[in-house]
Amino acid sequence: MSADDGLVGAATLKRLRLARGWSLAGLARAVIGKAGALGQPLDAGVLSVQRTVARWESSKAPILPGDRYQLLLAHLYACGADGQVSLGAGSDFSELLDALAHLGESERHLDELRTLLVRTVTDSGGALLALLGPSTRHALSAALTDPARFDEALLADMRHAVGDVNGHIGSVPFVRVQLLLAPIVESCRRLLGAAVPEPLLPGLHAVAAQAFTVAGRAAFETRDDAAARALYAEATAAAEGTGSSWRRAVVHMSHALVTLYSTPGIEPAQQLVDAAVRDAGAGESVTVRARAHALQAEIAARAGAERNARSALTLAWYDLDSDRDGDPAPSSFSPAHLRGFEGVTSLYVGDPTAAHDYFARSARALQGPREQVQRAIVTTDQALARIRLGEPESAAELLHGCVHTASATGGRVAAIRLRRARSDLRPWRREPWFADLDDHLIESLGA
């Protein structure tokens, strides 16, 4: 952090305070009041907290608020002057995070703070417009009334909001993901049927395709298969309007995974994967192409077609190792994800020892909040490999952590794989460790 950065952060904190009409003492009283409301009373009086606030805003040597004060400020500024909870771009909360960043707070800590506030908002049931900033809410309301007022700025805000929700998968349960997405999904539906400016249509279709896809995934994870199918149909139609075949491939891949776990037989998922490979091959994203080939390998392995599976994996690595400068979706798939697919291939048509090692490497690398659901799936598959290697008790130890993640997120795929692992452990059902795992599954997942 440079001295200039710190001064920018301090000035932002001062501006936020003054915009609320608070003196230094007024903010101190608000902070103390919020601490009491959260059941975490401060052991400090108004004068003491006032002096601390002044140090944050110093024009000479500002200091970064401590973790506890950051949390209290986050709760204060998450609620706008209009009484609405707002965490999106342009909100006071967003400005607070920017100020803390300028004062030297790490990006990881700020992400954790933001996730905590999202969880708090969805706990209280007030999430419907939480990720849309005040200006975005106003602009969106105006565009829904008069589609001619839909513009690039609103499109960018909607794109950011959808990406924001997508980024919270793994940090908040899927039922809350649905709640956060609801206003954006409905707005996309209405705007797609309205006379918005034609040059903005491809961008609107792209935002809608992503929103419908994430909503379809969330509906599936919360066991609403009918809603999931309808949302994926909407996502496919929206992707058609983007003019980018790689976006259609992304929809097909998500739909394929959902179909694999909700429809009998492998053929329906196979058809979607084949469509994804065709669209990815014609698209601009090498990363999406790699992901499509990886999924093609899994489907082939599940069907017992080892040669096809190995060929698809080779293509996936070739894609992933290619030059990806300018790729429109560079972060959607990584070597850590691909190693998980290598593990699945080896689990079905290869050596369980190799499968176990692939899964272990993948799980170690999948550490981000957005990757927790995938990590639970990979680790459950790693446990399956241990069972096949004759290490059932060690497999059960791994599964306890997966139960916790599946319970916290409501992830259906992880739960399905956990039940399969439990079934494979039935020969050891009289062992005490099996009873412990069974109790954990029943307590957490009801099965």
Side-chain angles (χ1 to χ4, degrees), residues 260-284:
L260 184 63
Y261 290 99
S262 61
T263 304
I266 205 169
E267 186 176 347
Q270 174 76 66
Q271 292 172 353
L272 287 164
V273 170
D274 290 345
V277 170
R278 287 194 300 271
D279 282 337
E284 305 89 346

Side-chain angles (χ1 to χ4, degrees), residues 27-71:
L27 177 55
R29 283 191 290 270
V31 167
I32 291 170
K34 180 56 69 175
L38 293 174
Q40 301 178 18
L42 289 175
D43 186 21
V46 172
L47 285 177
S48 176
V49 177
Q50 180 179 332
R51 287 193 293 269
T52 300
V53 172
R55 287 195 290 272
W56 302 337
E57 299 179 7
S58 169
S59 60
K60 295 181 179 179
I63 65 169
L64 175 70
D67 289 351
R68 190 175 185 188
Y69 280 118
Q70 286 186 28
L71 178 62

Side-chain angles (χ1 to χ4, degrees), residues 237-414:
E240 292 281 352
T242 66
S244 300
S245 63
W246 70 267
R247 293 187 186 277
R248 200 164 54 237
V250 170
V251 176
H252 289 325
M253 285 188 282
S254 182
H255 194 187
L257 286 171
V258 165
T259 301
L260 184 63
Y261 290 99
S262 61
T263 304
I266 205 169
E267 186 176 347
Q270 174 76 66
Q271 292 172 353
L272 287 164
V273 170
D274 290 345
V277 170
R278 287 194 300 271
D279 282 337
E284 305 89 346
S285 175
V286 178
T287 308
V288 169
R289 199 178 309 155
R291 185 178 165 200
H293 281 133
L295 190 51
Q296 185 180 43
E298 175 173 349
I299 295 296
R302 286 174 177 272
E306 181 176 5
R307 180 179 297 180
N308 291 343
R310 299 293 179 191
S311 296
L313 283 176
T314 299
L315 290 171
W317 275 115
Y318 175 81
D319 295 329
L320 212 52
D321 290 338
S322 300
D323 181 5
R324 291 189 284 161
D325 284 345
D327 194 314
S331 62
S332 60
F333 194 70
S334 69
H337 292 96
L338 183 49
R339 278 191 283 272
F341 283 95
E342 286 185 305
V344 169
T345 299
S346 293
L347 189 66
Y348 281 95
V349 293
D351 176 11
T353 299
H356 181 274
D357 292 344
Y358 284 131
F359 290 135
R361 291 177 64 194
S362 178
R364 282 196 298 271
L366 295 169
Q367 295 295 327
R370 178 65 175 80
E371 296 168 329
Q372 290 312 295
V373 174
Q374 185 63 33
R375 188 172 189 271
I377 293 169
V378 167
T379 305
T380 303
D381 286 344
Q382 183 184 356
L384 286 171
R386 287 189 182 183
I387 295 170
R388 296 186 184 185
L389 290 169
E391 302 174 14
E393 187 172 359
S394 175
E397 291 174 6
L398 273 183
L399 293 174
H400 279 286
C402 302
V403 172
H404 175 74
T405 300
S407 174
T409 63
R412 185 176 175 186
V413 174

Side-chain angles (χ1 to χ4, degrees), residues 16 20 34 73-98 113-114 116-122 124-139 157 160-161 164 168 180 183:
L16 286 170
R20 296 292 180 103
K34 180 56 69 175
L73 289 171
H75 278 281
L76 280 175
Y77 287 120
C79 187
D82 58 359
Q84 295 287 324
V85 174
S86 183
L87 309 179
S91 65
D92 285 354
F93 176 78
S94 178
E95 291 289 304
L96 170 67
L97 295 190
D98 187 58
L113 185 60
R114 197 165 196 280
L116 179 60
L117 265 291
V118 169
R119 293 184 68 93
T120 300
V121 167
T122 51
S124 64
L128 278 179
L129 295 172
L131 293 183
L132 300 179
S135 60
T136 305
R137 288 203 297 266
H138 177 76
D157 286 344
H160 179 81
D164 219 356
H168 280 99
L180 290 165

Side-chain angles (χ1 to χ4, degrees), residues 3-20:
D4 287 344
D5 282 338
L7 293 178
V8 170
T12 302
L13 288 180
K14 183 175 182 178
R15 177 168 52 78
L16 286 170
R17 173 175 61 80
L18 293 176
R20 296 292 180 103

